[in-house]
Amino acid sequence: MGGGVAGLGVAWRCAQRGLAVTLVEPAAGTGASHVAAGMIAPVTEVAYGEEGVLALNLESARRWPQFAAELGDAAGVELPYVTDGTLAVAFSADDRRALADLARFQADLGLDVERLRSRECRDVEPGLAPGIAGGMLVPSDHQVEPRAVVAALATAAVRAGVAVLERRVAAVDCEDGRVRGVRLDDGEFVPAATVVVATGAWTRHLDGVPDEVRSLVRPVKGQILRLHGALDRLPIRRTVRALVEGRSVYAVPRSDGEVVVGATVEEQGFDTGVTAEGVYELLRDALTVVPGLADLELAEVAAGLRPATPDNAPLLGATSVDGLVMA
């Protein structure tokens, strides 16, 4: 259940291993995967007290190049995997101190970061504002285009034998502690020996999932922008993440002239509305760091729902219901 990167990825891998797989999703790739920026950034996104999550993220990042190459072959497409690294910068003196604290924490964990002065940051990315206070270069944080990944996974999954039902699941059907299948919103029953839940934030609304699991998942709203311009006129060449007076913003350039700017972090339940305040704040902070972004076309504004958990770790594996698996 679920047709984002996680659900499609699980379906493809299961079919490759000879399992009979049905994917149930009314509109594959239109959820969180559609609005994600695609940063594979275990180092710049490390958080204090989350060393376990870091280890998982580092191992996941290590596997991505081979995964992207294999997926591209399976789907018959060239899947961009960008390895130019990430430049994290600070706008004010307070931001520089916060970034320096993070760099020390990263170094203590054995992570590869290079501290840079203001001028060195601009040597790496000349399009940065002159007032940048300093930063750090993280060569191991990379990026992909999630929409291209979703499209490739959909193609690879079907080629591997996955059957796709463009329908919506109303409930997981269980009996005596064992999963039997799923019931669709029109009442149709689809039998299955194993059911994989990859419905992201919407898991919270899914009947039949144990309450102790369902209650752990909540939506965190993120508004995101897509700017567009001529590739040879883009003001940055690699992902730039910034602290601007304590606020986080990022700009992710693509090979087609797009720059993704994001993202707000809002505890607003299942609201996916785009607000003037959200767009303004993102543009304000992004232009403060990279003024040249002002010359690009504002091509798209969107909001999505990140599936969040109390400890920021994913829910992976078996549940208390035999045959019901979380992803």
Side-chain angles (χ1 to χ4, degrees):
M1 299 182 294
V5 168
L8 284 166
V10 171
W12 175 47
R13 288 304 201 197
C14 286
Q16 281 184 315
R17 296 177 186 185
L19 297 176
V21 184
T22 298
L23 179 79
V24 185
E25 165 62 59
T30 59
S33 296
H34 186 71
V35 294
M39 291 175 291
I40 300 170
V43 177
T44 49
E45 293 191 353
V46 67
Y48 299 103
E50 294 185 3
E51 288 80 359
V53 177
L54 170 65
L56 179 63
N57 287 344
L58 287 171
E59 176 59 19
S60 299
R62 186 188 69 80
R63 297 185 185 198
W64 251 102
Q66 178 59 36
F67 174 78
E70 184 182 349
L71 175 58
D73 288 343
V77 298
E78 179 95 24
L79 197 61
Y81 179 80
V82 181
T83 60
D84 293 337
T86 293
L87 181 64
V89 299
F91 174 70
S92 68
D94 285 343
D95 295 328
R96 182 178 59 197
R97 283 188 285 272
L99 203 60
D101 287 343
L102 178 61
R104 282 190 288 270
F105 177 58
Q106 292 163 330
D108 289 343
L109 294 172
L111 303 174
D112 183 16
V113 299
E114 179 186 355
R115 297 276 297 278
L116 301 176
R117 297 183 178 89
S118 174
R119 180 173 305 208
E120 292 171 320
C121 290
R122 298 193 70 213
D123 287 342
V124 174
E125 284 294 343
L128 293 174
I132 292 299
M136 61 183 180
L137 185 63
V138 184
S140 61
D141 279 3
H142 302 157
Q143 57 127 321
V144 294
E145 165 52 277
R147 295 178 182 180
V149 173
V150 165
L153 280 170
T155 298
V158 171
R159 287 183 175 181
V162 174
V164 179
L165 282 180
E166 294 184 347
R167 311 276 285 285
R168 192 176 301 280
V169 172
V172 178
D173 197 298
C174 306
E175 187 176 291
D176 298 327
R178 171 87 180 117
V179 74
R180 296 177 60 245
V182 298
R183 199 161 296 282
L184 306 183
D185 54 4
D186 63 359
E188 180 183 347
F189 176 69
V190 181
T194 302
V195 172
V196 178
V197 180
T199 47
W202 301 95
T203 304
R204 198 174 186 92
H205 290 332
L206 195 58
D207 290 340
V209 175
D211 288 341
E212 67 270 18
V213 173
R214 187 167 56 174
S215 63
L216 294 176
V217 185
R218 76 183 192 281
V220 177
K221 178 180 177 180
Q223 298 186 55
I224 196 165
L225 316 177
R226 281 175 166 78
L227 313 179
H228 205 275
L231 183 60
D232 61 354
R233 301 284 297 278
L234 294 186
I236 53 174
R237 288 289 176 260
R238 79 195 71 230
T239 298
V240 173
R241 304 178 74 114
L243 281 177
V244 181
E245 297 180 345
R247 300 180 300 271
S248 296
V249 68
Y250 58 72
V252 183
R254 305 276 196 228
S255 60
D256 62 353
E258 181 178 82
V259 179
V260 181
V261 175
T264 65
V265 179
E266 306 171 55
E267 299 282 354
Q268 296 285 351
F270 286 88
D271 170 43
T272 56
V274 174
T275 66
E277 180 182 27
V279 173
Y280 165 74
E281 290 179 350
L282 290 173
L283 286 175
R284 176 196 62 199
D285 292 344
L287 296 180
T288 297
V289 177
V290 187
L293 293 174
D295 296 328
L296 304 185
E297 174 192 356
L298 179 58
E300 181 182 321
V301 295
L305 301 175
R306 309 171 181 89
T309 61
D311 62 359
N312 287 334
L315 299 176
L316 296 171
T319 69
S320 59
V321 177
D322 189 19
L324 187 64
V325 178
M326 299 299 297

